[in-house]
Each structure stands twice: as structure tokens, then as C-alpha cells.
Amino acid sequence: MSAEQKTGAEMLIRTLKDQGVDVIFGYPGGAVLPIYDALFQQNDIQHILVRQEGGAVHAAEGYARSTGKVGVVLVTSGPGATNAVTGLTDALMDSIPVVCLTGQVPTHLIGNDAFQEADTTGITRPCTKHNYLVKDIIDLPRIMHEAFYVARSGRPGPVVVDLPKDVLQGKSDHYVAPEEVTHRSYRPQTKAEDHKIAEAVEMIAQAKRPIVYAGGGVINAGPKACELLTRFVRTLGVPCTNTLMGLGAYPGSDPQFLGMLGMHGTYEANLAMYNCDVMINIGARFDDRVTGRLDEFSPRSKKIHVDIDASSINKNVMVDLPIVGDAGSVLEDLLAAWQARKLELDQKALKAWWQKIEEWRARDCLKFEQKGQEIKPQHAIKRLYELTKDRNPYIATEVGQHQMWAAQYFKFEQPNHWMTSGGLGTMGYGMPAAMGVQRAHPDALVIDVAGEASILMNIQELSCIAQYNLPVKIFIVNNQWMGMVRQWQELLHGGRYSESYSAALPDFVKLAESFHAVGIRCEKADELDDKIMEMIDTPKPVVFDCLVTKDENCFPMIPSGAAHYEMLLGPDDKVGKPISEEGMVLV
Amino acid sequence: MANHKDQEIEARTIAVLVDNEPGVLARVIGLFSGRGYNIESLTVSEVDPRQRFSRITVVTSGTPQILEQIKAQLDRLVPVHRVSDLTMDGASVERELALVKVAGSGDKRVESLRIADIFRARVVDSSHDHFVFEMTGKSEKLDVFIDLMQPLGLVDVSRTGVVAISRGPQGL
Ligand SMILES: Cc1cc2nc3c(=O)[nH]c(=O)nc-3n(C[C@H](O)[C@H](O)[C@H](O)COP(=O)(O)OP(=O)(O)OC[C@H]3O[C@@H](n4cnc5c(N)ncnc54)[C@H](O)[C@@H]3O)c2cc1C
Ligand SMILES: Cc1ncc(C[n+]2csc(CCOP(=O)(O)OP(=O)(O)O)c2C)c(N)n1
């Protein structure tokens, strides 16, 4: 080891380089000035200056989700750190690997209510996978490498490293390389026990109505795991459905794909889940948006659950066969065991099962009617998909109806092309996430499908987009309502539209122009295709204001607290029975 | 499989071996409060200063499904080395220590001393008008003793909470 003295900040930059980091998303302030000084004196790591720290975390999430790498954030103490909290919680809920470096007041002032002091490790403890306060420069390199290891291993998540200013300015010659650091306690189990694999294939071989329900965990496990999932499903010839977070894990246009399941999932996916006899859950967490009423959730099936996090298993739904392990590793073992034993499903039963599924599919639950010049939001999104699919775009979303329509009408053939806030449902996620994606894939087509309300939550990031010439396309499905809120008020609160109207909206075209972007407005169905093409062909950031039908609802919908078979398929379906009190309290 | 709502509530004693790093106790307590789990008793102390291990003993309650969740949630905390269910995984010994202050004079004073003797509590401090008793045992025994002291001038109680260890030659 060289005896060269380095400051904490220089040491920090070295750890980042050794971790292969080439970009960080951040915002400066007093406590982190030493880091900014060190960044200034090097060229390997690019710093992207966001316009609010919340944007930095979402940008890092978009970067991480679209690359499989760890996203890195740098913010100052106090308000910088507190602004990051929403993004950290978002990353925790959706299992996104992020390392967030926060400045802190010098160690001797901690606890004194010093200027811009916040108890960052205290505040972020429940919204991170782990966090650290570095009190001694000697520990800095080890903690940094540990932070990256923890963020990306097992079930990925956000890690905060809180850095007091005196540690950043102190000097030390003690450096350790990533290979020299082994974590004392954290060793997630990635390989499943052989007997579990054997039990699983035997159980599957008995199935007459099997289904694979795959989630974000397969995306977390990587592109190879997604390939294995596809091979597994095709080998068995069984239907596959994905959660919102799992879209892209299985090819969207494959005939064995039933679409998304859950509250706004397809009729065929939900009925197949309800009626199956063996359910193979791989990397999905039985979220309440997916299960609906628990005591009516797939009541007659045997359930296998593959998850790298034992705490995801038997949390909401009791399963018959828990398998702890990495989705990729388990799928590989399942396939091998299936083939080695020369197992086959009962083909007659499987055929009858597919027949049933095709009947459900024939309901064509996503159909809608586009008449006249008023653009239906579904039509806008469907055309956006059809006109862009050949370019293999990366799609980010905000939160609301537009998000669900994007999930329904886009077909994702590959993983890591779909960035959405599923678990926390954070409005304002999409545009900064798209920014991070575009930075990672400079030549790709990156679109944020937005609502006019959500987009205003982080609209300041248009300035960041302009500064770095990121040609992100922001496609606003403008229904002039907080559509998802309006829909719930219509269906569940007697049409009392309390505070859900998007009043006093800005002129999005002028707004775009003032942020050095191109603004396009589309109000007529006739113009839609041309204008979408114009957007795609513009090599600059574009804000596309697409005015759509104001009061369209998103269907299918399983009202909160209802069962899969109580799905509303369209405006003519009424909420069958009054929603139970239990249902009304659900979010 | 059965819904957990139909399951009975049970009590468990869980031992958790953790790295003695800053915030680790807050992490464990935050897990319980954040997820709405019960803590009936919680003790913590460093048990291996060289390796910086601390041991946390938690007495908690819930349905079997919730108890499995609690263990899985504890186990996934980054600084946790091991989680052991001392109630389920074989026999174990549980102890708690209480310091009990009783003030008074005359018959009551004599009676408190007599009961303390029966319970094998030790006097660790005394004056003409008070005793401090130290007593170790199962929590229920401590409860009974404290109850009996109530009418005899009980003024203060301090209890450690439960510590526990498995029987037999194996370690955690
Ligand atoms: C307005 C709105 C509506 C929504 N409607 C729906 C809906 O209709 N349908 C729907 O599906 N969702 C919907 N969601 C999203 C929903 O809230 C959840 O975020 C989502 O269902 C969770 O997806 P998942 O189960 O795939 O789990 P994720 O949150 O992606 O979790 C991944 C799971 O996989 C595990 N895992 C991680 N890495 C690995 C690995 N390497 N190997 C194995 N396992 C691993 C994790 O431990 C975890 O249990 C909606 C969200 C919003 C905001
Ligand atoms: C930060 C945040 N605040 C509030 C909500 C609750 N919420 C969910 S959807 C929604 C309305 C979204 O409206 P818009 O962006 O216009 O999308 P639309 O539903 O109309 O497509 C609201 C307020 C949320 N998800 N996130």
C-alpha cells in the first residue's frame, strides 16, 4: 500500500472509481464541498447536477434499473439528505440498488443542532436497506465498498453513507481495495437446496392448470435469469403473467404471455391466477395490488414461491413450497431437474387449460373505441407503443392512470426497458428516472409517459435535461384531472371530485420552450401519428402535450378489497356490491 | 393454505447475535415498531468484546406466521449474524433479574423480609425504613414476588428483561 496521504474526499472518489462508477447524480452544499472539490480535479466520474435532490435519487434509480448497476447519489447534509428520503423509500420498495452519499456536519458538532444538521442515519434507517455514519477516515474505504456490496447483493436496495465534513477533510494513507473487503455478516442465500428443487418439479409435474407468476425479482436477477424464465415457461408450455415490476422479464408479445395481473391486470391473467391448481411465483411478493382480497386469492392452488428474501415468503400469502434463492440460479436448477427427470405435464389437461384461457383472452379486456377527433388516452399510448416499438425504447412513467395504460398497452420484449414506481407509487419519479436512463443509454429512445399532474412534481429537472442535452421525450397524457384519483372518487366516493382537478395548468409548449426543449401539442386524433413521429425524430428533449378525453377510466379494475373474479371490465360494469368497509380502508 | 387470522397468538423468546455497531439496537427496535410487532421484553449487551458481538434477547408474541416473519425480518438486517428461536428450537433457560424497593416499618417490614427469604431474594441495600431486594428467576416468579410486595410498601421496581440461552452443549 502506498504511504501517500489522501483526504477523505479523494479517498471517496477512489472507492467510486474502484467500484466502476462513471456517473453520479447530485447537488452541492457546504458539507460536501470537499467532495465537489475532489470531483473537480478528476475526469473519470461525471457529475450530473440535478435541480432537486429527490430528482437525483430517481435518476440514479433509472440508471440502475436500466443497466443492472448500482446508481450513485451525492447530496449535502440536512435539507439535501431529507429531500432524498422519498427517492430512498422508493428504491427500498422496488428493490433498486442505490448508494446515496450524504454530507454531515463535522463529528464534534453532531448532536448540537449545528447548521444544516439532520440525524440522517436516524431518518433514513427505516427507508434504506442499510446505512452508515463514517466517524473515522480509517473506516471510509471499507464502508464504501461494503455499501456497494450491500446495495447490489441479495435483494437489492438503497444504502446511505453519511460523511461528516471533518472525515472528508482529514488525511489518511490507509486504503483497501474492493477485493479486500468481506462483509462480516451479510451473506444472502442464492442457491436453493436440492431437495426443494426436486419437490418443486414433482409438484409442477402433477399440475393440470399451472401458471407462472413472475415479478421484479427476475429483473433484479438479471437478463440471464429472464432468458431462463422464458426457456422454463416455453419448455413447460405453461401460461406466464408478470407483475407491474416484472414487465419485460418475459417477452410481452409471446403467445404464452397473459399480460400483467392484479388490480389493473388483464382478465385472462387474473382468472388464470384464480383458477390455477399450481402457481409458480418467481421473484414476486404477493403485493396487495396483485392479490386483491386475500381469502379469495387463488384459493385452490398449491403455491411455490421462489424469492431471495425469506421475509417475502409467507408474508401475505401462505405457500406450500418456499424456495429461498436467486431467481436465475433456481430457474437453472428447475430446468435441469425437469429435463433430467424427463418430466412432462399432462398434455390433455394442459390443452383444456389453454382452451379456457383463450376463452378469457377472447373477451379482449383491453379493447376501447377510438371515435372522432377526441383522443382516447388508451389510443394515445397504444399509438405511442406501435410507432416506437421498432426502436426498442426505454419507457419510464409517472404514477396514475397513464402508468397503468402504459403497462397494459406497451409490450416489453426485454428486461430493463421499463422504469416505474410500483411499490411506493411516487408521482414525479418518471422524468428524473428517464434522465438517468438516457445518461446510461445516450443513443436510445427514452420516453417518460406522464400525467399532467405528476409531471409538475419534478418539473424543475427539465433544466437538468437541457444542461446535459439529454434527448428525453416527455409524453404527457393530459386529461386535466388527477385521473386515478378522479376514478376512485367516481367509483368509490359517489362522484364527489374533491380537489382532483388539475386547475391552472401551465402551457406545456411554452414551458418546454422556456426550458430549452421542444414543445408539441396534439389535440386531434388525426394528427397524433404525425406528431408522435415528429417527437421521435427530434434530436432534442421534447415535451409532448397530448390532450385526451378527460373522464376516461382505467379498466380492467379490481376494486380494492375485491376478489379476482369481481373485476370491472368497462364503464358498463358497476361496482357489484357495495365495497366492504375492509375494502374501503385499503389504499 | 390456512389464513393466518385463524392462528393462535403465541409467545416466543428469540436470540439475535449482531455486530455491535452504532444504531444496531435502533434498527431492531425500529423493525418491531415499524412493522407493528410486539416487544414484551428486550435486552441487549455485548457478549464478545473482541469480535464486537452483541446479543439481543427479545420476547415477542404473535401468530406463528407473524413469528416466522419476525425471524425472517431480523435475519435480513445487514448487521445480524444469527437468529435463534429459543422457544421452538429445543429447550432453553430463561432468567430475569429484578431490584425491588420496599419502604415501611413494623409488621409490614418484617413480612417483606420473610417473603423475600422464601423467594430467595437477597437484600442489597437497607435502612431502618426500606429494603432493596435483588431477585433472579423466571419472569413469572418475579411477577408474583412484586405482587406480594405491593401491600407491603412497594415503592420502586427495576427489571432487566429476559435473558435466555439454549440447554445442552451447543452454542448459538
Ligand atoms: C397506481 C398503481 C397501480 C398498480 N397496479 C398494479 C397492478 O395492477 N398489478 C401489479 O402487478 N402491480 C401493480 N402495482 C405495483 C404494486 O404496487 C407492486 O409494486 C408490484 O406488484 C410488486 O411487484 P413484484 O411482486 O414483482 O415485486 P417487487 O417489488 O419487484 O419485488 C421483487 C421481489 O423479488 C425478490 N427478489 C429480488 N431479487 C431477487 C432475485 N435475484 N432472485 C429472486 N427473488 C428476488 C424480492 O425479495 C421481492 O420479494 C401498482 C402500482 C401503482 C402505483
Ligand atoms: C407524491 C404522490 N402524491 C400523491 C399520490 C396519489 N396519487 C396517485 S395517482 C394521482 C393522480 C395522478 O394524476 P396524473 O399525473 O395527472 O395522472 P393520471 O392518473 O391522470 O394519468 C395521485 C394524486 C402519489 N401517488 N404520489
Side-chain angles (χ1 to χ4, degrees), chain A residues 62-63 65-67 388 391-397 410 412 414-419 433-434 437-438 440-449 472-473:
Chain A
Y63 178 90
R65 190 68 164 182
S66 69
T67 59
T388 59
R391 305 192 189 214
N392 199 11
Y394 290 85
I395 305 296
T397 75
F410 269 79
F412 296 94
Q414 286 173 8
N416 307 99
H417 282 61
W418 168 244
M419 269 47 64
V437 175
Q438 189 81 73
H441 310 275
D443 301 321
L445 175 60
V446 181
I447 306 172
D448 174 33
V449 177
V472 171
K473 314 294 184 245

Side-chain angles (χ1 to χ4, degrees), chain A residues 129-130 132 146-153 159 183 186, chain B residues 78:
Chain A
K129 180 171 172 185
H130 196 56
Y132 298 88
E146 272 190 25
F148 275 84
Y149 165 76
V150 169
R152 69 170 166 255
S153 314
V159 177
H183 198 279
Y186 187 62
Chain B
V78 169

Side-chain angles (χ1 to χ4, degrees), chain A residues 92-105:
Chain A
L92 183 72
M93 292 290 272
D94 285 345
S95 305
I96 311 289
V98 167
V99 168
C100 177
L101 310 171
T102 56
Q104 184 53 279
V105 301

Side-chain angles (χ1 to χ4, degrees), chain A residues 407-434:
Chain A
Q408 293 173 339
Y409 293 100
F410 269 79
K411 294 190 174 77
F412 296 94
E413 311 300 335
Q414 286 173 8
N416 307 99
H417 282 61
W418 168 244
M419 269 47 64
T420 199
S421 170
L424 198 63
T426 313
M427 292 169 70
Y429 163 89
M431 185 163 66

Side-chain angles (χ1 to χ4, degrees), chain A residues 93-95 154-156 213 215-217 220-221 243-246 260-265 283-287 289-290 306-309 312 325-327 399-400 403-404 421-423 425 484:
Chain A
M93 292 290 272
D94 285 345
S95 305
R155 178 181 188 164
Y213 148 47
N220 287 135
T243 63
L244 181 75
M245 295 309 293
M260 181 172 82
L261 79 165
M263 182 175 271
H264 293 290
R285 56 185 173 85
F286 290 113
D287 184 79
R289 279 275 177 294
V290 161
V306 179
D307 204 295
I308 203 159
D309 178 356
S312 278
D326 170 67
V399 170
Q403 176 190 26
M404 293 297 110
S421 170
M484 189 57 92

Side-chain angles (χ1 to χ4, degrees), chain B residues 39-164:
Chain B
I39 299 183
E40 273 154 35
S41 148
L42 186 143
T43 65
V44 58
S45 182
E46 192 166 68
V47 290
D48 184 341
R50 268 185 315 115
Q51 296 209 66
R52 294 187 293 116
F53 285 148
S54 285
R55 180 170 170 132
I56 298 176
T57 311
V58 201
V59 181
T60 181
S61 63
T63 61
Q65 187 187 3
I66 295 285
L67 292 164
E68 288 310 306
Q69 258 299 300
I70 292 175
K71 287 189 274 175
Q73 292 288 354
L74 285 167
D75 203 36
R76 77 204 273 259
L77 293 178
V78 169
V80 167
H81 287 263
R82 235 178 328 283
V83 176
S84 169
D85 185 333
L86 293 174
T87 310
M88 295 303 280
D89 307 346
S92 61
V93 191
E94 292 189 6
R95 286 294 177 269
E96 187 176 358
L97 184 147
L99 296 172
V100 179
K101 186 179 286 184
V102 180
S105 54
D107 289 351
K108 287 188 176 173
R109 182 173 161 80
V110 176
E111 178 66 359
S112 69
L113 195 60
R114 196 181 67 83
I115 295 174
D117 203 35
I118 297 170
F119 276 76
R120 298 210 197 129
R122 291 199 306 137
V123 176
V124 289
D125 183 43
S126 72
S127 69
H128 286 303
D129 43 19
H130 91 283
F131 287 120
V132 174
F133 298 114
E134 174 199 308
M135 186 176 152
T136 311
K138 288 204 139 202
S139 301
E140 300 78 52
K141 185 173 152 195
L142 268 50
D143 293 343
V144 175
F145 180 69
I146 291 163
D147 261 4
L148 288 171
M149 289 298 140
Q150 198 78 49
L152 304 178
L154 180 76
V155 289
D156 212 357
V157 179
S158 178
R159 297 172 67 154
T160 56
V162 173
V163 293

